[in-house]
Amino acid sequence: APRPLPFGFAVAAYISATTERESGLSLSAYGFRGEERLVEQRIEVLSECADAFERALGPLPWSQVHFVHVKPPEKETGVSLPGLILVSDFYFPDLSGVDASSGNLHDPAVLGLLVIADELSHQWNFYASGFPNELAEGISTYTNALFLERRHGAQAYLGTMRYCHEAWIGGADTTTEYAIANPQVYSNSRYRSVVFCKTPLVLDALRRRLGDECFFDGFRRAFALRAAHVDGFERLEQGFEAAAGAELRPFFDQWFFRAGFPILTCAFEQSGDEVAVTVRQTQPGDPYEIDLEVELECEDGSRHTRPVTLTAAEQVFTWSFPRKPVSVHLGPEGRLPARVDEP
């Protein structure tokens, strides 16, 4: 099948190790003499990544991926080509004792670990499926989170979502922000925060809406749609729609074809055994449709959450609630694709 880059190669006196997966995928790691332990580390991590990626994305359409240590004369490199990943010294460190459970993708200590996941993910999302780069990079960040979820559990996944939230929304300033699907997204300093960090939060929101079984079914269906003449964003949408049996165009339009993000505020009033929470969207333009949790904190220290879906600029939600709340919080886990202005 035609691929964006047709081939790559590396030449050296290598030692290597290989593992064969039940899916038929062969994973090999290559290093120099004396790096036997480092090569085995790569095999273990490649296998962990493949466990997460094959579950989420389905099988690769080719049977071999080689992970190779190279020593270019000038620039450090970490790059993938179809079936081949090349990394230089900086990206080939000793991985023993590396703890990525915080989900902080910016931590230099975990870079050698995450570059394996990130570049292996490109075998699926860029080379096999041909998604546009501005979509493929965000998917790789999300699959990094899936790898950390498999390795360290749900809190590591959540930590990655919080990292992405802070990088995209916490770092927003007066610089113009473009939609992910807009070619101008590459034109300013917001490029990396939007392209790499918005998509993971959007996919996380879709996962919570659909549930794991439907979400991963949709992900696999989207990756199986490899019609190059169909836009990558549309193929992603079609895969999830087929799994959900429902139209998702409004969801994809507002997150991939619209710039910016929702800005939310809230207030509450209690009357007898009822509490009314008013949630407002204050960003310019039309309101978003967004799922979130409303957390009520009570004077006895207890916390109670209620799921809601926003569809209007202002909505009031009323619940029977005998305890006396003292504060209200939106999206208490810090993973919303939105900015929350606390009262």
Side-chain angles (χ1 to χ4, degrees), residues 190-266:
R190 291 286 286 158
Y191 151 65
R192 291 191 67 85
S193 57
V194 172
V195 166
F196 286 78
C197 295
K198 182 176 181 178
T199 294
L201 289 173
V202 171
L203 291 174
D204 176 59
L206 187 59
R207 180 181 180 180
R208 286 181 284 126
R209 173 178 288 193
L210 299 180
D212 275 13
E213 183 176 351
C214 183
F215 174 81
F216 287 115
D217 181 29
F219 226 170
R220 289 188 294 271
R221 288 173 183 263
F223 274 81
L225 295 171
R226 298 193 177 101
H229 66 282
V230 181
D231 175 78
F233 291 94
E234 186 173 349
R235 280 184 279 132
L236 191 67
E237 177 190 329
Q238 288 175 356
F240 283 112
E241 284 184 335
E247 182 186 10
L248 294 172
R249 175 59 58 87
F251 181 93
F252 280 80
D253 279 352
Q254 73 176 7
W255 296 118
F256 291 110
F257 292 88
R258 178 177 176 179
F261 45 79
I263 300 174
L264 310 179
T265 64
C266 64

Side-chain angles (χ1 to χ4, degrees), residues 6-277:
F7 68 93
F9 65 90
V11 178
Y14 282 117
I15 55 128
S16 66
T18 299
T19 183
E20 303 286 342
R21 298 184 54 77
E22 289 185 6
S23 63
L25 178 62
S26 174
L27 298 170
S28 299
Y30 296 78
F32 301 101
R33 286 189 176 90
E35 294 182 336
E36 287 80 2
R37 186 165 61 92
L38 304 186
V39 166
E40 290 297 333
Q41 289 174 351
R42 267 70 198 169
I43 286 293
E44 291 176 9
V45 176
L46 285 166
S47 294
E48 289 182 66
C49 293
D51 286 343
F53 300 167
E54 287 179 338
R55 175 205 176 205
L57 312 176
L60 268 178
W62 51 83
S63 60
Q64 293 182 325
V65 176
H66 306 279
F67 188 96
V68 186
H69 187 185
V70 295
K71 293 181 177 290
E74 294 181 3
K75 189 178 180 181
E76 292 288 347
T77 188
V79 63
S80 64
L81 302 97
L84 180 65
I85 299 168
L86 305 174
V87 297
S88 56
D89 293 352
F90 182 73
Y91 301 103
F92 204 87
D94 186 349
L95 299 178
S96 59
V98 172
D99 182 357
S101 60
S102 70
N104 181 1
L105 305 183
H106 193 64
D107 182 356
V110 305
L111 186 58
L113 183 71
L114 291 180
V115 76
I116 301 173
D118 198 83
E119 298 300 344
L120 184 62
S121 176
H122 284 317
Q123 299 294 311
W124 273 267
N125 61 49
F126 188 64
Y127 295 114
S129 297
F131 287 135
N133 185 66
E134 56 271 21
L135 181 56
E137 292 290 9
I139 291 175
S140 275
T141 307
Y142 185 71
T143 53
N144 286 348
L146 295 180
F147 161 61
L148 294 182
E149 182 180 39
R150 188 207 174 281
R151 174 171 262 232
H152 296 293
Q155 286 303 307
Y157 172 89
L158 177 58
T160 308
M161 294 304 111
R162 288 172 174 159
Y163 167 87
C164 290
H165 180 277
E166 182 59 28
W168 171 37
I169 293 175
D173 53 23
T174 58
T175 304
T176 300
E177 181 173 309
Y178 294 99
I180 295 172
N182 187 336
Q184 288 185 284
V185 73
Y186 295 97
S187 67
N188 65 29
S189 60
R190 291 286 286 158
Y191 151 65
R192 291 191 67 85
S193 57
V194 172
V195 166
F196 286 78
C197 295
K198 182 176 181 178
T199 294
L201 289 173
V202 171
L203 291 174
D204 176 59
L206 187 59
R207 180 181 180 180
R208 286 181 284 126
R209 173 178 288 193
L210 299 180
D212 275 13
E213 183 176 351
C214 183
F215 174 81
F216 287 115
D217 181 29
F219 226 170
R220 289 188 294 271
R221 288 173 183 263
F223 274 81
L225 295 171
R226 298 193 177 101
H229 66 282
V230 181
D231 175 78
F233 291 94
E234 186 173 349
R235 280 184 279 132
L236 191 67
E237 177 190 329
Q238 288 175 356
F240 283 112
E241 284 184 335
E247 182 186 10
L248 294 172
R249 175 59 58 87
F251 181 93
F252 280 80
D253 279 352
Q254 73 176 7
W255 296 118
F256 291 110
F257 292 88
R258 178 177 176 179
F261 45 79
I263 300 174
L264 310 179
T265 64
C266 64
F268 74 96
E269 292 183 358
Q270 187 174 31
S271 177
D273 286 345
E274 288 192 340
V275 60
V277 176

Side-chain angles (χ1 to χ4, degrees), residues 242-310:
E247 182 186 10
L248 294 172
R249 175 59 58 87
F251 181 93
F252 280 80
D253 279 352
Q254 73 176 7
W255 296 118
F256 291 110
F257 292 88
R258 178 177 176 179
F261 45 79
I263 300 174
L264 310 179
T265 64
C266 64
F268 74 96
E269 292 183 358
Q270 187 174 31
S271 177
D273 286 345
E274 288 192 340
V275 60
V277 176
T278 301
V279 183
R280 297 180 178 89
Q281 299 191 46
T282 64
Q283 74 282 346
D286 294 334
Y288 286 77
E289 180 178 314
I290 180 171
D291 304 315
L292 73 153
E293 288 187 333
V294 176
E295 181 186 74
L296 296 160
E297 183 178 359
C298 300
E299 60 183 359
D300 62 2
S302 62
R303 295 174 181 265
H304 309 268
T305 59
R306 300 289 187 272
V308 302
T309 298
L310 302 182

